[in-house]
Amino acid sequence: MSVQSLYQSKRMSAADAIQVLKDGDTIVVPTGVGEPPSLLTALSDARRNYRDIKVSQILPLRKYGYIDPETTAHVRHSAYFFGGATRPGGQEGWVDFVPAYFSELPMLIKRGLTPSEVVFSMASPMDEHGFFSLSLAPDYTMAAIEKARAVVLEVNPNVPFANGDCHIHISQVAALTESSDPLLEVGLPKIGPVQEAIGSYVAEMIPDGATLQIGYGGIPDAVVMQLTNKHDLGIHTEMVGDGIMTLVEAGVVNNLKKNYHRGKMLATFALGSKKLYDFMHRNPALEMHPVDFTNDPYLAGKNDNLHCINATMQIDFMGQCGSESLGAKPYSGTGGQADFVRAANRSNGGKAFIVLPSTAKDDTISRIVPTLTPGTHVSTSKNDINYVVTEHGVAQLRGKSAKQRCEALIAIAHPNFRAELREAAKKMNLL
């Protein structure tokens, strides 16, 4: 049978496509824009017809009907990372949380430590050879496809056909549905004076020829905006967004100084504008790969001069970063922060930056604290931390004693809190 005949034999409505599901199945859904809205809407509409279905995903972008405390016996969300749609359920206990390094999710799936019976994913149109591109988020999805009983695609002409290890053949697909709605666009975060100041400190420490990993948020984007005078930058990251695209268009990123996958930008998911998704389409300079390739600290650390920029919410005198919870209350998730901090530490000439405003809630709370708020989930350990940057300066911690770390962190705390932080440090015998 030709690939076109196979395609037509598997083409159906979203309501029909989800009938591959069986009670007790776990559905793996890609990160962010890779989530298939028609399929997840059909699942939501039919959720009471099923029992004990799980949906496992990092960062859902829409609050589908199945994300509902009244119907968790039918369909329940299992989060690798909380977003706005799932955070309330995570904090109230009716959305589950699976702690894991982003880089290790494919391994957990391959070894059967987290289940994957069905995959729902967005996909590009099929090419003449019968392949689709899961360009928006191959992440852990490619591993899930290997384990799944059934793969269901939502084929949309707005999904780019990207290069890399992100392709699936029509013969691997159980069912597909078609949609043509525009992809969800995610704008750049708000950048204010604090973010600009932090971005300036970091940008000054990034040399020409560096390879970058840039996380999501106002501060990482503020760094990007201050790199337009650099030369020969490369990209090895988990997320490709509009900021990176802007640097490519400005001629700042050409990947020519990379010693690992020279000439190529590597990423595992995309989050941005229609312009970004168009930029990705058959772009020979960009490859989308599974996260156990992009985020593996050993592999990413093969890049010389790897500079990684990630944000946290709180840091203590030892350098422990609480980046994913507010005390014991979950807020986001582990993600790839620790992956890339470790990668930069391995890299010849690499630097790992943890960035944060010095205060929260209109300067009433210091984010630099003697000890983390009880229950805080530690995202980056004291043994991995290196550079910490606030709007008041840079503290370099790796290799430093506990007392030296304490002094360096207090020096970049907000001036209003330095006196009380010093008193706390004296009581802890750190000053």
Side-chain angles (χ1 to χ4, degrees):
M1 188 180 291
S2 70
V3 293
Q4 288 296 337
S5 298
L6 270 176
Y7 183 101
Q8 292 303 324
S9 71
K10 297 176 180 185
R11 178 172 170 262
M12 62 191 74
S13 68
D16 289 337
I18 69 166
Q19 292 185 27
V20 301
L21 291 171
K22 299 177 181 178
D23 289 349
D25 278 348
T26 292
I27 309 166
V28 173
V29 176
T31 304
V33 192
E35 67 187 22
S38 296
L39 292 173
L40 292 174
T41 298
L43 172 67
S44 297
D45 292 344
R47 64 188 184 276
R48 290 178 175 83
N49 298 335
Y50 296 99
R51 300 288 300 180
D52 195 29
I53 297 285
K54 300 286 195 305
V55 179
S56 293
Q57 185 189 12
I58 275 186
L59 194 60
L61 295 181
R62 304 167 178 87
K63 190 179 186 304
Y64 295 98
Y66 82 83
I67 304 175
D68 176 2
E70 301 301 319
T71 57
T72 55
H74 302 281
V75 180
R76 187 179 181 99
H77 193 88
S78 180
Y80 302 132
F81 192 103
F82 292 115
T86 51
R87 187 175 298 121
Q91 294 176 348
E92 294 165 14
W94 52 269
V95 168
D96 295 324
F97 177 56
V98 179
Y101 296 118
F102 198 3
S103 65
E104 294 188 353
L105 283 172
M107 176 270 290
L108 296 178
I109 291 169
K110 290 174 184 178
R111 295 183 182 180
L113 296 172
T114 61
S116 169
E117 284 82 31
V118 178
V119 172
F120 283 0
S121 178
M122 288 290 275
S124 72
M126 186 177 73
D127 72 4
E128 65 272 25
H129 305 294
F131 285 95
F132 305 86
S133 179
L134 308 190
S135 56
L136 298 174
D139 49 31
Y140 45 83
T141 308
M142 302 305 291
I145 285 170
E146 293 179 18
K147 295 286 288 187
R149 183 188 74 249
V151 177
V152 185
L153 301 182
E154 181 170 332
V155 180
N156 186 309
N158 297 301
V159 176
F161 196 103
N163 297 320
D165 183 6
C166 60
H167 303 136
I168 179 173
H169 192 262
I170 182 63
S171 61
Q172 299 170 269
V173 177
L176 62 89
T177 192
E178 294 177 335
S179 65
S180 57
D181 293 338
L183 301 180
L184 191 64
E185 298 185 57
V186 179
L188 293 173
K190 184 179 178 181
I191 297 173
V194 169
Q195 289 80 11
E196 288 182 0
I198 296 170
S200 178
Y201 282 119
V202 176
E204 287 176 7
M205 299 179 69
I206 296 176
D208 291 343
T211 292
L212 304 180
Q213 177 266 327
I214 302 169
Y216 180 77
I219 298 173
D221 276 306
V223 175
V224 168
M225 295 301 104
Q226 297 185 59
L227 295 176
T228 54
N229 63 339
K230 303 291 183 179
H231 301 89
D232 300 321
L233 298 181
I235 300 295
H236 184 122
T237 191
E238 61 183 20
M239 186 194 85
V240 60
D242 283 67
I244 288 173
M245 177 184 65
T246 300
L247 292 179
V248 175
E249 292 177 337
V252 174
V253 168
N254 58 25
N255 300 288
L256 296 181
K257 297 292 186 182
K258 289 180 71 178
N259 62 304
Y260 184 63
H261 289 266
R262 184 176 181 271
K264 302 292 184 182
M265 291 181 285
L266 304 182
T268 196
F269 72 95
L271 199 62
S273 67
K274 180 182 184 302
K275 184 179 179 182
L276 172 71
Y277 308 138
D278 292 343
F279 166 83
M280 296 172 62
H281 184 64
R282 297 193 181 275
N283 186 337
L286 172 67
E287 293 184 358
M288 303 299 291
H289 285 273
V291 71
D292 53 353
F293 177 77
T294 60
N295 286 39
D296 181 285
Y298 173 75
L299 296 177
K302 289 185 175 183
N303 291 285
D304 288 348
N305 300 307
L306 179 64
H307 286 59
C308 301
I309 306 148
N310 292 281
T312 193
M313 294 189 288
Q314 190 181 64
I315 185 168
D316 69 12
F317 285 163
M318 291 297 290
Q320 298 182 109
C321 296
S323 309
E324 55 193 277
S325 72
L326 302 168
K329 184 179 291 188
Y331 186 82
S332 55
T334 304
Q337 180 177 120
D339 294 333
F340 276 105
V341 168
R342 290 175 176 174
N345 288 341
R346 296 183 64 95
S347 167
N348 180 28
K351 297 187 187 83
F353 299 99
I354 294 293
V355 296
L356 72 164
S358 64
T359 62
K361 294 189 176 180
D362 298 321
D363 296 338
T364 62
I365 297 174
S366 176
R367 293 179 182 266
I368 294 174
V369 293
T371 58
L372 295 177
T373 303
T376 295
H377 304 172
V378 177
S379 307
T380 295
S381 79
K382 67 185 187 305
N383 299 334
D384 294 312
I385 193 74
N386 194 357
Y387 293 91
V388 179
V389 187
T390 73
E391 71 274 27
H392 299 291
V394 180
Q396 192 278 313
L397 304 184
R398 195 163 170 81
K400 300 294 178 62
S401 69
K403 290 186 177 183
Q404 289 171 324
R405 289 173 176 227
C406 182
E407 290 170 348
L409 287 167
I410 291 174
I412 64 168
H414 193 285
N416 291 353
F417 292 96
R418 290 177 190 169
E420 65 182 75
L421 289 172
R422 287 192 187 97
E423 287 303 311
K426 289 175 183 176
K427 292 178 181 177
M428 296 169 68
N429 298 317
L430 290 174
L431 282 183

